Amino acid sequence: MSQPIPVQITVGNAQDLKTLKSSLLLTVVRVEYNGAGLGESSKTNVLPDGTAEYDFSTSFEYSPDGPNSLDVLVQKPLLLTLLEVAAKEKKKTEKVTPLAQAVVDLLPLLQGVRSLKVLAPLYAVPAFPSAMPHPEATAGLEVIVSTKELLLSATQFSSGNLLSITLEAAYSVPEAFTPDAQQNYMACLQIPAAGEKELPLLFKNGILKADGEKEPFPRPKNWPLGPLLAPDALNIPNSFIVGGPYEDEDGELTKSEDRAFRIQAESSRRVVWDTEIRCFLDAAAVATLQSRIAECRHWPVELCRMSMSSGGKGKASKLDKRDEDKQIAFHGVAYVNMLHLLCPGVKQIRGAFRVFNYQDSEVFEKTRVQYSIFRDRRSQLSLGKERLGTSPGSKAAPNKTQKEEKDSNATQYSEAGTFLVMEINLDRPLVPKRLREELVQRVKELIPPHPALPPRTEGAKKVVEDYHKRVTSVAVAILREYHELFGKQLPDQGMMDHKTMEEQKRQLNYELNTSGKYFAFKEQLKYSVVKIVREKYLKTTAFETKEKLQEFLSELYVYLVDHMHMALNKLLSGEDVSPAPPPYTTRKQLLLFAREAEANKDLNLASLFYKQRIARDQRSIQSWLAYGAFCLLHEDATKAQECFQQAVCLDPQHIQSLLLCGIVAVKLQHYEEAEIFFEDACCLEPSSIIAWTLAGLFYELQNNYIQAERSFREAKKLLRAELEEERRLLEAAEGEEKKPSSPSTDPEKIPDSSADKPPEAVEGVTSNEEATAVQEVPEAAEPQPPPCTIFMKTVEFLMKFNAVRNPNVWAQKGHLFYLQKDFDKAKDCYERVISFVEDAADMHFVYLRLGSIYLDEKEYGRAKHIYLLACDNSASCLTWLGVGIACYRLEEMLEAEDALSEANALNNTNAEVWGYLALICLQGGRQLEAEQCYKYTVKLGLQNDALLQEIRAAQHRFGFGDPSL
């Protein structure tokens, strides 16, 4: 047993006491801890300025095994009560009245502090229960708390963890809950303590509130104490319940369909605690907590209503023993999913958890807990006057009425839809999150060094041109030196004699050498020569023998002299020395050429153009990404990985490159590497919706649903903020009052159904029936744009870099553009779909819509081809009608009539089929058949006005009578 450690408490002076009561003259301070009085100060006068000097000291003992243990110090504050002493009257005792209370949090004593000095606010005690305290009071009490030695060593504190649990409220409680002073609403859960012990955390004194205003945000958290004389003294300093969107919570009832129910429940009958209980977990308890969560993610939180005992002290033990055997009324349990705390970096979970009636088998199945705290381990809770069951005078054996009450209580929580809102905090995460520096280092380790790239295209030509420029520059400089020495030689002065020329040459050499200019000119040429050696002759290593070196130098000398003469002759001949011509093609043109070759299925040529883009500028990240996307599309994931890794090498903070490295690592089944890349991307740019969504998809692939859920939630939160900002800017630009938002911009209406599914789940969004219905009414007025979701944004990114090839994704995207009447983009998507070897699930509608776009654009040959493909795939009246229209526009009348006859055979109630048959008959001079077809067209109610006008124009053009007769 360790020795107790004294905790010394000194009450110094008080300030602004007159704000509590202006006539205050004489006061006393009483100090309490853990329900025990530690003493009172002497009577002290309050000075005119509102101060008072108490200079009172007291102490209590801290002992791990005593009443003031570690768990108590973490949970309970020091309580100080300010008492007013009224002036003594004749033959009457002094009247002592509680005036205010203050609390001091002792937690810093466990965090490496030996002396704590605070100015604790004094909260006024109301004159009577319904009175409001003085909100303007600013009184404070100076308190110093100290110990001679640390209560926890630095090692003990750093290896442990501080756990805080806040029970906010139980909402939508059963109607049988009544605001009875004899009823105490409680909740309890157990957490691991040292060794095999369990520490029960009991939340008492829940306040039942009727319908009315919901609880405000933010609002203070309360100490786990009984009622105090000053209600505000229950508030924990600087600790608040801040709430937040339901979608960001970790519990249940977070879907959009739960929103209305929760809003209603928050302003209806509820039990409110707003209480925080803290406990310190040593290293062993932390390990136990982590292993328990891993073994069973759900922890039971029990809920019940208890009656206050009214029996005398002498009977309490006998009656309490008998009461323990009775059934518990309104005994419920909520299952809190703690698995989120095993996600890296997670220190807090908060959410709503449904309450069910307590059933042993169900509790054991979900939590592996074999006992009830309230029923089987009541003795650990120190309930005091609270008791379980009915009145003290009732018998031990439950009677028929009690059994009926139990049965009726069993389902009340479920019927009412009761749920608890809780928050669980840790001082530091159970699983630390990797630091950015560590992730950067891991990324570097994952990317192996790449060999040097081959020389650039046309590099030799460029360095030779550069040599010519340098020679010309040096020659011009030397000529300038000559002119300064001897002046310019004019043409009419005649030829210079040889002797004079030699003398001037000697003087010029002397001047260049003595001034250092010769050395400077030589240095200008040196770099050009080095580049010629590297680029022209590809010499980058030492020569094996001196003979080979000499042979090379001779060859180089001849080459350099020849090109020096070329440059000088060009200069002296008066020709303009133009700069080197620009490359024949730009990187943008090379990309166009690459895509053209790719479209023509010439993959080798496309690859060459992509490589030439990179050779043109090897530090262009986009060139590497484009080539990587090309490799990814054509199933060369290893080559794609090299390209994306090279992009990361160029810029380790380029988020697209990091994400693509993660994606290709998944394709290669290098899952540990993929996690590093995704985690690094999220750490680098925590505001990236795409990064969080891809991370969520990766964790979902790994069956890590908790971390997937958290990643998706973060992405949705960012999307809501983005859409809200877009809406705000739009409203500000319009200068109008706030209007109801469309589904695509309302952050509160982001759906949780089909539109908000990962790419692999989006494939089957549109069923055949739905697509048919859409096809029947393609001209619906003003279709609503599709809702924006995190997965739609991510699919755009994946498709841009060919990271997904499911033709169904392109088909769905095409349908969205089609409904938005963006036919150019729809056509592009549909053409991609039909380019895949594998067909999309709804190819029929892809063919129909692409064919209709081609008809509108008068690309009749393409339309005919597409509609024939549709007929091969799944023939219908509409597919053959498309073939017939295309053939008619191509003036292929026999094929057109055959196709329309097929359409008519499949559905003889289509007015357009009869209309085009009428046109064909008019073209062929078959007036009787044309009239018959036209009558069917009118009878079936053709809605195509353009076709009707065309039929009438044909009738007049070919000189027949009115077909309507």
Side-chain angles (χ1 to χ4, degrees), residues 61-257:
E61 289 187 338
Y62 159 77
S63 174
D65 304 309
N68 299 322
S69 63
L70 179 64
D71 296 329
V72 174
L73 252 69
V74 172
Q75 290 187 31
K76 296 185 179 181
L78 187 68
L79 180 62
L80 304 104
T81 305
L82 181 70
L83 305 170
E84 179 186 13
V85 182
K88 185 175 181 181
E89 298 180 6
K90 289 183 179 181
K91 298 182 181 180
K92 290 185 179 180
T93 59
E94 289 179 329
K95 183 179 180 182
V96 180
T97 306
L99 192 63
Q101 287 183 313
V103 293
V104 177
D105 191 357
L106 301 183
L107 181 62
L109 296 179
L110 305 176
Q111 297 173 320
V113 174
R114 288 198 304 175
S115 181
L116 174 67
K117 183 177 181 179
V118 296
L119 182 63
L122 280 163
Y123 298 100
V125 175
F128 46 91
S130 60
M132 294 294 292
H134 301 278
E136 71 280 359
T138 58
L141 197 61
E142 184 183 85
V143 182
I144 299 175
V145 184
S146 61
T147 60
K148 291 185 177 180
E149 56 184 287
L150 291 174
L151 302 186
L152 282 179
S153 68
T155 304
Q156 286 175 314
F157 178 74
S158 61
S159 62
N161 211 327
L162 181 67
L163 175 67
S164 305
I165 299 180
T166 303
L167 178 60
E168 298 179 20
Y171 293 101
S172 192
V173 296
E175 293 184 3
F177 280 20
T178 56
D180 186 347
Q182 296 299 314
Q183 305 293 338
N184 194 335
Y185 296 98
M186 298 185 176
C188 188
L189 74 157
Q190 292 200 117
I191 61 167
E196 297 296 323
K197 290 171 58 180
E198 296 283 342
L199 178 65
L201 301 184
L202 177 65
F203 295 86
K204 303 195 294 186
N205 307 316
I207 301 171
L208 180 66
K209 295 189 177 182
D211 297 354
E213 294 295 323
K214 67 178 186 178
E215 303 301 311
F217 290 111
R219 62 183 189 271
K221 296 180 180 180
N222 297 329
W223 291 106
L225 306 175
L228 297 181
L229 297 174
D232 288 345
L234 272 175
N235 299 343
I236 302 176
N238 303 317
S239 187
F240 298 93
I241 297 169
V242 296
Y246 303 137
E247 299 89 345
D248 295 340
E249 294 178 353
D250 303 280
E252 305 161 20
L253 300 170
T254 58
K255 303 298 183 184
S256 56
E257 56 266 25

Side-chain angles (χ1 to χ4, degrees), residues 467 470-471 474-475 477-478 512-513 516-530:
Y467 175 71
R470 295 293 179 185
V471 168
V474 170
I478 293 174
L512 293 177
N513 278 291
K517 293 178 182 178
Y518 177 83
F519 179 79
F521 293 151
K522 189 171 69 171
E523 285 298 310
Q524 288 185 35
L525 291 173
K526 180 179 178 181
Y527 185 61
S528 298
V529 173
V530 169

Side-chain angles (χ1 to χ4, degrees), residues 578-597:
S578 58
Y584 294 110
T585 54
T586 63
R587 284 193 296 119
K588 185 176 180 181
Q589 288 174 315
L590 287 172
L591 180 61
L592 174 64
F593 300 161
R595 288 177 175 170
E596 283 180 345

Side-chain angles (χ1 to χ4, degrees), residues 805-817:
R805 299 181 58 205
N806 192 318
N808 292 304
V809 177
W810 285 104
Q812 294 299 326
K813 186 179 179 185
H815 295 330
L816 291 175
F817 285 131

